[in-house]
Amino acid sequence: MPSTATLTERYISATIRSLTPEVQDDVRAELEGSIADAIDARLEQGDDPAEAERAVLTELGDPGVLAAGYADRPLHLIGPRYYLAWWRLLKLLLIIVPVCAMGGVAIAQAIERAPIGTMIGAAVTVGISVIVHVCFWVTLVFFILERTGADTGVKWDVDQLPEPTQNGAGRADAIASLVFLVLGVGAVFWDAFIGFFPTEGAPIAILNPGLWPWGITFFLGLFVAEALLTVVVYARRRWTIAAAAVNTLLAAVFAVWSLTLLVQGELLNPEFLRFVFTDNGVTDETMRILTVITGFALIAFPIWDIVDGWIKTARARRG
């Protein structure tokens, strides 16, 4: 048998059914009065009664949304109170956790002498799984905070305001980069002419002496190119696509060059390796593991430098 309830009765019933019994009667009375008044206003303007009722209910919108307003119940997963904290934490964890997990798996696969395809597949699989878990659990925590109204204890204050990128921050980045590069060049010369690792006799150089002069000259050339890039970026007061591309090229060249020397056994001083490891009972298998870890470090730092350059470029373009 078809229902004889009016659209208004059906709308009010749909609205109050999710409310607690204590407020249902009050909400029903309020809606009946407001809907009737709105329909009367349209009738006075000459609207058809049926069309007037339909128009008024359409303007009120979804009864579920209206009911949530009466119950003070949020319809969003994470609201404005926690959204920025959720987004900042999620971005930070997605930058750190998957990379560390993928790197750890790749190192373990390399140590086990797994094929390159197996290594990449395992790392990607773990990376995807970690990304899903990070997104789910971080969102779940903030969903619970949203529904319970708990206080995270994190308060914003003016000390968190960023420095203008065209002034202090750019100068600070340039100075830090140049100081680091100067220290790197100084360390290379100190290692070559004085030696870093103390022994009972003369200190031992860490880098292979056979790199002199051409290998070290190439290495120092990369340092000089990086320093010039830093000066150019500071002079322009911003990172550009061209600067990020040059930075990527320099980092990639350094990674390939140093990794090739490491694999060929020409990067580190054999005397240093013998004195520190071999003469102290370190096995060949342990040396292979240490070589793998060193290789991943030589890849990880350039990758971080490349990512950092493109992030700064993206921020500069948005600014």
Side-chain angles (χ1 to χ4, degrees):
M1 180 176 180
S3 174
T4 59
T6 65
L7 288 177
T8 298
E9 291 170 344
R10 289 165 56 190
Y11 186 91
I12 294 175
S13 297
T15 301
I16 67 174
R17 65 185 177 188
S18 63
L19 301 177
T20 59
E22 293 80 7
V23 301
Q24 285 185 359
D25 290 340
D26 293 337
V27 172
R28 175 183 288 277
E30 179 182 337
L31 284 176
E32 286 176 345
S34 61
I35 292 173
D37 291 341
I39 292 175
D40 289 341
R42 284 184 171 271
L43 292 176
E44 291 177 358
Q45 297 174 4
D47 288 4
D48 178 76
E51 293 299 327
E53 182 183 29
R54 181 176 293 274
V56 168
L57 297 180
T58 301
E59 289 179 356
L60 285 175
D62 190 326
V65 176
L66 190 61
Y70 279 111
D72 194 23
R73 183 175 61 247
L75 295 179
H76 45 257
L77 188 64
I78 299 174
R81 181 181 180 186
Y82 299 106
Y83 178 81
L84 287 178
W86 164 80
W87 181 233
R88 289 164 181 162
L89 178 60
L90 184 62
K91 286 193 296 183
L92 178 64
L93 293 179
L94 287 178
I95 291 173
I96 298 174
V97 179
V99 173
C100 292
M102 293 175 68
V105 170
I107 291 175
Q109 292 291 324
I111 291 174
E112 294 178 1
R113 302 178 186 272
I116 185 66
T118 302
M119 184 189 308
I120 295 175
V124 171
T125 301
V126 169
I128 294 174
S129 176
V130 170
I131 289 172
V132 172
H133 278 280
V134 168
C135 292
F136 173 78
W137 291 110
V138 171
T139 303
L140 177 62
V141 169
F142 279 91
F143 171 80
I144 295 173
L145 292 174
E146 183 72 43
R147 294 305 181 272
T148 59
D151 189 359
T152 61
V154 179
K155 303 296 183 182
W156 184 89
D157 58 63
V158 295
D159 292 333
Q160 297 175 353
L161 286 172
E163 294 289 339
T165 52
Q166 68 272 21
N167 296 320
R171 184 182 301 110
D173 287 345
I175 292 174
S177 298
L178 291 176
V179 168
F180 175 78
L181 292 172
V182 170
L183 290 176
V185 172
V188 170
F189 281 104
W190 184 285
D191 181 68
F193 296 108
I194 299 178
F196 271 111
F197 202 86
T199 64
E200 295 179 357
I204 300 176
I206 297 176
L207 294 178
N208 192 335
L211 292 174
W212 285 90
W214 303 116
I216 295 299
T217 300
F218 179 77
F219 180 73
L220 295 178
L222 292 177
F223 269 73
V224 172
E226 190 73 27
L228 291 175
L229 177 63
T230 300
V231 172
V232 170
V233 170
Y234 174 69
R236 302 192 64 172
R237 294 297 194 273
R238 59 181 296 168
W239 276 79
T240 63
I241 293 179
V246 172
N247 183 67
T248 300
L249 177 62
L250 293 175
V253 170
F254 172 81
V256 172
W257 176 74
S258 59
L259 193 61
T260 301
L261 291 177
L262 178 68
V263 172
Q264 294 176 348
E266 299 176 0
L267 180 63
L268 300 178
N269 186 0
E271 185 181 354
F272 164 76
L273 296 176
R274 183 173 57 256
F275 181 83
V276 176
F277 298 104
T278 307
D279 291 350
N280 291 305
V282 177
T283 64
D284 292 341
E285 180 63 19
T286 302
M287 290 297 297
R288 188 181 68 82
I289 294 174
L290 292 175
T291 301
V292 170
I293 295 175
T294 303
F296 272 92
L298 292 175
I299 296 175
F301 286 113
I303 289 177
W304 175 254
D305 186 37
I306 292 171
V307 172
D308 182 56
W310 285 109
I311 289 176
K312 290 176 178 177
T313 302
R315 289 174 179 170
R317 289 175 65 83
R318 285 199 303 266

